[in-house]
């Protein structure tokens, strides 16, 4: 049914810019923490996963998706 699907327009409906900045800081902090991981394999996989999540949020939360898709960097596409 249509009511059970995810509606991105409802995400962060109030004060969207505040939440976007807050999540950007969360992702940056987690990325910095993973720099301290001793295992290079674990560090690589965690960085890849967080870049993927951040890119997905970037696309979903941007009002102009076409403009967003033209500004995605190479490592975000990978």
């Amino acid at each position: 049914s249509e009511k059970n699907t995810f509606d991105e327009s409802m995400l962060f409906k109030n004060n969207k810019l505040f939440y976007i900045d807050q999540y950007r800081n969360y992702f940056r902090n987690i990325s910095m923490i993973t720099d301290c991981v001793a295992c290079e394999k674990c560090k690589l996989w965690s960085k890849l996963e967080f870049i993927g999540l951040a890119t997905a949020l970037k696309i979903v939360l941007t009002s102009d998706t076409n403009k967003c898709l033209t500004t995605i960097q190479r490592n975000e596409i990978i």
Side-chain angles (χ1 to χ4, degrees), residues 1-2 8 21 32-33 35 40 53 59 67-68 78:
S1 110
E2 289 288 324
E8 299 92 16
D21 287 337
M32 287 176 16
I33 290 170
D35 288 337
E40 293 296 322
L53 287 170
I59 292 169
K67 183 178 179 184
C68 176
I78 292 171

Side-chain angles (χ1 to χ4, degrees), residues 26-39:
Y26 289 152
F27 276 90
R28 190 174 296 125
N29 288 340
I30 293 170
S31 180
M32 287 176 16
I33 290 170
T34 59
D35 288 337
C36 299
V37 174
C39 175

Side-chain angles (χ1 to χ4, degrees), residues 5-47:
T5 60
F6 182 73
D7 183 11
E8 299 92 16
S9 66
M10 298 301 291
L11 187 65
F12 307 127
K13 190 172 183 177
N14 298 326
N15 205 358
K16 185 176 180 176
L17 292 177
F18 170 75
Y19 288 116
I20 291 172
D21 287 337
Q22 192 173 15
Y23 274 91
R24 184 177 293 130
N25 288 333
Y26 289 152
F27 276 90
R28 190 174 296 125
N29 288 340
I30 293 170
S31 180
M32 287 176 16
I33 290 170
T34 59
D35 288 337
C36 299
V37 174
C39 175
E40 293 296 322
K41 185 177 173 182
C42 297
K43 187 186 304 188
L44 173 68
W45 283 107
S46 66
K47 290 278 187 174

